[in-house]
Amino acid sequence: MEITRFAPSPNGPLHLGHAYSAIVAHDLARARGGRFLLRIEDIDGARSRPELAAEFRADLAWLGLEWEETPAQSARLPRYEAAAERLREMGLLYPCTCTRAEVAAAARESGPEGPVYPGTCRNGSAVPTGAAWRLDVARAMKRTGPLEWEDELAGPQQARPELLGDVVLMRKDAPASYHLAATVDDAADGVTLVTRGRDLFAATHVHRLLQALLGLPVPRWHHHALLVEPDGRKLAKRRGSPGLDQLRRAGRDGMVLANSLRNHRFPAGISLDRA
Ligand code: GLU
């Protein structure tokens, strides 16, 4: 059975781009007689605002969606720790104390998620306190061999996790990184079709590698096009895209809005980036 999900982070209100993403995931599940899940990705304790989860549920209901909710990330910390421990035992994680600024200054390339970590701490032997843990991607790929994954829209892909460099899996300031938590969760939730925006396309290279290392089932992916502003940048609340909570409270009809988004009729100035 097809199982899709919408996995918002409660660090800001949902906007039209989130609505579109949730509708795509919801409708794919419904069209295939499957299940649609909501997962609150509140791994980032410092930035998470727990009260937003209730707003998200109200927004989705207002759009006319129905879902099953799976445990939030804050309820699954031991799973992430166990996954990291397995990778550590395989000798694939190493501690890193570099700050973001240090990584940016030392980086020789820029990848899909910004400066690519140049491996500064890869051969250190001490385990300093307050370190993040990075995945040794070259060593991990040697262990798994070449990997493939399938995007419903873009077709078969060769996994190229090296594009993102040695990503952080356990953060200094949070229990786990997005990459580790989302991969472990999608497996725990039985997700068969990971539905999300194309901005996370490159992250999938890393997720596919983690699945191979941890022996997790391999879903398919559906990275949909993003809603963009006239300047081509993706919608963001901070640039004035209205929050769904605002539209809902202003008395707009959520089901009408959802149907407009389904039919690719967007408010003035907003379009779907098909590039
Ligand atoms: N929590 C992520 C976000 O809000 C989405 C993660 C995902 O769909 O894999 O951007």
Side-chain angles (χ1 to χ4, degrees):
M1 184 199 287
E2 194 81 288
I3 303 182
T4 69
R5 83 321 188 260
F6 175 57
S9 303
N11 46 30
L14 301 183
H15 54 58
L16 289 173
H18 294 108
Y20 181 74
S21 197
I23 290 165
V24 168
H26 170 273
D27 290 3
L28 282 168
R30 291 291 171 265
R32 297 169 188 187
R35 296 165 58 202
F36 168 62
L37 310 181
L38 168 67
R39 181 172 72 231
I40 303 295
E41 297 214 320
D42 58 353
I43 193 70
D44 192 341
R47 290 175 67 213
S48 277
R49 290 161 45 200
E51 70 281 8
L52 286 177
E55 292 289 319
F56 292 1
R57 293 181 199 107
D59 292 338
L60 296 185
W62 172 72
L63 291 167
L65 307 185
E66 284 176 31
W67 66 91
E68 293 167 61
E69 188 160 345
T70 67
Q73 293 186 323
S74 55
R76 281 182 163 164
L77 305 185
R79 282 180 192 253
Y80 313 140
E81 188 48 63
E85 195 47 44
R86 279 185 65 188
L87 298 171
R88 242 182 243 124
E89 279 164 11
M90 292 180 216
L92 298 177
L93 298 193
Y94 62 87
C96 170
T97 50
C98 297
T99 61
R100 246 174 230 275
E102 284 165 345
V103 173
R108 292 182 295 269
E109 318 157 54
S110 178
E113 294 188 340
V116 175
Y117 177 71
T120 320
C121 299
R122 192 181 295 130
N123 298 314
S125 49
V127 179
T129 50
W133 289 82
R134 290 183 180 272
L135 178 65
D136 187 330
V137 168
R139 187 181 282 210
M141 283 300 280
K142 211 172 277 169
R143 191 180 171 112
T144 64
L147 299 168
E148 273 148 34
W149 55 276
E150 174 85 21
D151 183 277
E152 276 196 339
L153 301 171
Q157 307 291 320
Q158 192 80 38
R160 297 179 62 200
E162 67 282 1
L163 291 177
L164 288 85
D166 288 355
V167 289
V168 169
L169 294 190
M170 298 301 274
R171 286 170 45 175
K172 276 183 243 185
D173 55 344
S177 74
Y178 157 67
H179 296 301
L180 184 64
T183 304
V184 167
D185 289 344
D186 283 330
D189 294 337
V191 171
T192 58
L193 184 67
V194 174
T195 310
R196 60 185 170 211
R198 267 199 215 147
D199 51 338
L200 289 167
F201 194 92
T204 301
H205 294 305
V206 175
H207 301 182
R208 178 67 188 89
L209 174 57
L210 291 175
Q211 286 155 0
L213 295 169
L214 295 167
L216 302 176
V218 183
R220 286 165 298 112
W221 283 264
H222 182 109
H223 291 101
H224 60 76
L226 298 178
L227 290 191
V228 291
E229 308 215 6
D231 62 4
R233 292 196 296 171
K234 66 175 179 165
L235 300 198
K237 184 74 194 359
R238 65 180 177 281
R239 286 203 302 276
S241 300
L244 300 183
D245 54 343
Q246 271 170 279
L247 299 172
R248 172 163 55 81
R249 293 204 165 87
R252 285 277 301 274
D253 186 324
M255 300 220 201
V256 169
L257 174 70
N259 282 330
S260 305
L261 295 175
R262 283 189 175 98
N263 294 315
H264 294 179
R265 285 199 313 270
F266 305 113
I270 293 177
S271 60
L272 204 52
D273 181 13
R274 297 180 175 283

